[in-house]
């Protein structure tokens, strides 16, 4: 039985990477390889800006939750590097190739706590949607044998086709809600990125849940500041009344 923060919620929209599947770390590793190569090939004029990409701090601040193009442009600009369309596309494509190689080379598992929550929500008749900036969301869910739990999926390919702006704009989530046919006043968003929780708050969802997988210094507080109503470390916490920041 669903209790706690999700009681009375009719639908839940979840991000994929880092929320449903343990793929955020694979994305981060692929970004690091792509960015570090670019920094070696195009070193910033300021020596202090030539440090390698940080898979934790830089990933969370510049690329997590964003489209590949937006993430690449954001990080390059942070290091004082040219972020024209050609260079952004080059870095984004390099990252894409690295991620695909890892994805096809082995399974990326789903978080057990998330799977428990998803099955409990479905058993209670709660509608589920996945909304992700990644073009690989469908494949990730299919490989994890979870695709049939979702009534709607809006991924990066759909976002491009529909011309939807990236997070922190709420357009991706709002399209998922439109497909579910549920009111915002009874729909929750679950995200692990700062851009994602901000998008949920901007979209005026009934509940915005931040997932703090890293549990690093200040990471939970950052999610709250950007729009999360509450923060959990594992989504199984939402199955109890004790869930909270």
């Amino acid at each position: 039985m669903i209790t706690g923060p999700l009681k009375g919620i009719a639908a839940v929209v979840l991000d994929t990477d880092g929320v449903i599947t343990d793929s955020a770390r694979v994305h981060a590793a692929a970004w690091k390889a792509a960015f570090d190569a670019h920094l070696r090939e195009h070193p910033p004029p300021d020596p202090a800006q030539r440090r390698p990409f940080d898979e934790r701090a830089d990933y969370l601040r510049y690329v997590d939750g964003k489209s590949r193009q937006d993430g690449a442009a954001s990080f390059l600009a942070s290091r004082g590097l040219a972020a024209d369309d050609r260079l952004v596309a080059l870095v984004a494509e390099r990252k894409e190739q690295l991620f695909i190689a890892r994805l096809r080379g082995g399974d990326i598992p789903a978080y057990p706590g998330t799977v428990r929550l998803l099955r409990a929500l479905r058993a209670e008749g709660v509608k589920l949607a996945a909304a992700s900036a990644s073009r690989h969301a469908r494949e990730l869910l299919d490989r994890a044998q979870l695709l049939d739990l979702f009534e709607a999926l809006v991924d990066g390919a759909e976002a491009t086709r529909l011309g939807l702006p990236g997070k922190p704009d709420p357009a991706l989530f709002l399209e998922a809600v439109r497909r579910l046919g549920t009111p915002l006043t009874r729909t929750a968003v679950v995200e692990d990125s700062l851009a994602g929780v901000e998008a949920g708050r901007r979209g005026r969802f009934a509940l915005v849940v931040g997932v703090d997988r890293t549990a690093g210094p200040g990471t939970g507080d950052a999610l709250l500041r950007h729009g999360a109503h509450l923060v959990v470390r594992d989504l199984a916490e939402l199955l109890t009344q004790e869930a909270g920041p």
Side-chain angles (χ1 to χ4, degrees):
M1 180 177 179
I2 301 301
T3 59
L6 291 177
K7 187 174 183 180
I9 291 293
V12 180
V13 180
L14 303 96
D15 182 38
T16 305
D17 299 311
V19 173
I20 302 173
T21 60
D22 188 14
S23 44
R25 61 183 177 81
V26 183
H27 281 291
W31 276 122
K32 178 174 175 57
F35 282 134
D36 285 355
H38 190 80
L39 289 169
R40 289 192 299 270
E41 296 162 5
H42 307 276
D46 182 356
Q49 298 285 58
R50 298 173 189 172
R51 64 189 182 280
F53 178 81
D54 189 301
E55 290 180 70
R56 184 172 180 175
D58 288 332
Y59 179 76
L60 292 175
R61 184 171 184 180
Y62 299 112
V63 302
D64 191 21
K66 299 178 182 179
S67 69
R68 279 186 292 120
Q69 287 73 19
D70 288 348
S74 180
F75 177 74
L76 293 180
S78 78
R79 296 298 181 90
L81 292 170
D84 58 67
D85 291 346
R86 183 185 67 83
L87 288 176
V88 166
L90 181 66
V91 175
E93 181 57 30
R94 178 179 280 173
K95 179 267 175 183
E96 176 75 349
Q97 292 173 356
L98 291 165
F99 180 80
I100 289 176
R102 178 63 185 275
L103 175 62
R104 305 289 160 77
D107 291 335
I108 298 176
Y111 291 102
T114 298
V115 175
R116 284 179 56 203
L117 177 66
L118 293 174
R119 298 197 184 284
L121 290 171
R122 281 302 300 264
E124 293 283 325
V126 176
K127 293 183 177 181
L128 300 175
S132 172
S134 172
R135 293 174 177 267
H136 303 290
R138 180 177 296 275
E139 183 175 357
L140 284 166
L141 293 174
D142 187 42
R143 283 173 173 263
Q145 299 182 332
L146 297 175
L147 190 58
D148 61 340
L149 294 178
F150 295 90
E151 297 184 51
L153 169 63
V154 185
D155 61 7
E158 278 290 276
T160 299
R161 183 181 70 82
L162 296 171
L164 301 178
K167 305 168 192 175
D169 191 287
L172 196 71
F173 294 146
L174 294 176
E175 174 61 20
V177 173
R178 186 190 69 77
R179 297 183 184 193
L180 291 177
T182 55
L184 289 174
T185 54
R186 295 190 63 203
T187 303
V189 164
V190 184
E191 258 283 2
D192 69 319
S193 71
L194 299 181
V197 294
E198 185 175 337
R201 180 59 68 90
R202 287 188 186 185
R204 300 182 182 276
F205 283 81
L207 178 68
V208 180
V209 179
V211 184
D212 184 14
R213 298 289 186 193
T214 61
T219 52
D221 289 339
L223 288 167
L224 291 170
R225 287 196 305 271
H226 279 76
H229 293 108
L230 63 90
V231 173
V232 297
R233 294 187 179 181
D234 187 279
L235 287 183
E237 294 174 43
L238 295 175
L239 290 169
T240 71
Q241 290 185 326
E242 288 76 25

